[in-house]
Amino acid sequence: MDSTRTAIVTGGSRGIGRATALRLGRDGYAVVVGYAGNRALAEEVVAEVEAAGGHALAAGGDLADPAVAQHLFDVAEEAFGGADLLVHAAGQMVLAPVAELDLDDLDRTFQVNVRSTFALAQQGVRRLRSGGSMVLFSTSVVGLAFPTYGAYVASKGAVEALTPILAKELRGRDVTVNTVAPGPTATDLFLDGKTDEQVQQLAQQPPLQRLGQPEDIARVVAFLAGPEGHWVNGQTLRANGGLV
């Protein structure tokens, strides 16, 4: 299967990562579905991709361990001949006012959201094939500055700052690097701990008057990863329905 275009999708068992893995499978990619702990959910995604005629497999591991980044690329090469696309959708979010934030939670947030991005990017720089792409993830809250999001926004701001640097460091490789910054999106991560009233209030804020759906974000990733989006490079794209 050396000629197959292959995508590695972290956080591929749930939410935006799941929707992205399914979309890329429909687009003809072989998909490595990365997951942290729930293999059963990842295997459900694999089964759905394969039921639609595609190729996929699940590969697990805690991205706080940099060896997992290498493992995901090893799996892609062994199973599908190489990797063309890295989508780093896995993330950690802890909400607390800065004054009350447990610094151990801060460390864990930076391990998963920042350190893992560097570890995966190192593998991507070395191993993505020509014509490939990296799609990283931030959040529109970087600009919206909601209270209690300090740790999460600080970690995602680091990803945004890294994006154009990575793009420039890949000069001559024909590999693009972009970051998608979703607004409020109906995922388990977003909905957890929010009341129905809070969810409805957030849903009314964008001019389109709804929450984003994981499939909305998957379409953006597919565009950036495909030939139509290959001239977009080093950018952070805020996919949030106009929420500013």
Side-chain angles (χ1 to χ4, degrees):
M1 297 185 63
D2 288 354
S3 63
T4 302
R5 284 182 63 79
T6 302
I8 298 168
V9 182
T10 71
S13 64
R14 298 193 303 170
I16 290 170
R18 179 189 181 98
T20 299
L22 294 173
R23 169 60 190 259
L24 294 173
R26 291 196 300 272
D27 287 351
Y29 285 83
V31 185
V32 177
V33 181
Y35 67 95
N38 195 324
R39 184 174 184 89
L41 283 179
E43 291 290 359
E44 287 178 10
V45 178
V46 170
E48 194 167 338
V49 171
E50 292 181 337
H55 301 281
L57 55 81
D62 184 349
L63 285 166
D65 178 358
V68 173
Q70 181 173 338
H71 173 65
L72 292 174
F73 276 84
D74 289 345
V75 167
E77 290 181 0
E78 291 164 9
F80 303 122
D84 304 278
L85 170 61
L86 168 66
V87 181
H88 184 21
Q92 169 103 359
M93 183 167 67
V94 176
L95 301 182
V98 171
E100 300 170 17
L101 179 66
D102 186 324
L103 293 182
D104 288 340
D105 287 341
L106 177 67
D107 289 343
R108 173 68 181 173
T109 298
F110 269 73
Q111 275 190 318
V112 174
N113 293 356
V114 181
R115 194 166 187 261
S116 71
T117 299
F118 273 82
L120 285 160
Q122 287 177 337
Q123 296 297 317
V125 168
R126 297 165 187 160
R127 301 170 75 174
L128 284 173
R129 291 184 287 210
S130 178
S133 299
M134 292 188 216
V135 180
L136 309 177
F137 270 83
S138 179
T139 170
S140 287
V141 184
V142 169
L144 298 168
F146 292 155
T148 75
Y149 278 76
Y152 185 59
V153 164
S155 70
K156 292 302 189 178
V159 174
E160 292 192 15
L162 175 64
T163 299
I165 294 171
L166 266 177
K168 291 176 181 178
E169 290 180 351
L170 278 158
R171 174 180 292 273
R173 285 284 311 283
D174 192 27
V175 173
T176 64
V177 184
N178 293 289
T179 288
V180 178
T185 305
T187 65
D188 291 342
L189 182 69
F190 171 77
L191 295 172
D192 184 43
K194 294 182 175 67
T195 66
D196 289 343
E197 182 180 359
Q198 288 172 322
V199 170
Q200 287 304 314
Q201 183 180 17
L202 288 165
Q204 290 303 308
Q205 290 183 2
L208 297 181
Q209 293 184 300
R210 67 172 177 86
L211 292 179
Q213 296 298 315
E215 293 76 16
D216 293 320
I217 311 305
R219 293 185 193 103
V220 175
V221 174
F223 166 73
L224 291 173
E228 295 87 352
H230 202 64
W231 191 237
V232 181
N233 193 18
Q235 306 301 311
T236 294
L237 197 162
R238 305 211 178 282
N240 59 24
L243 184 61
V244 294

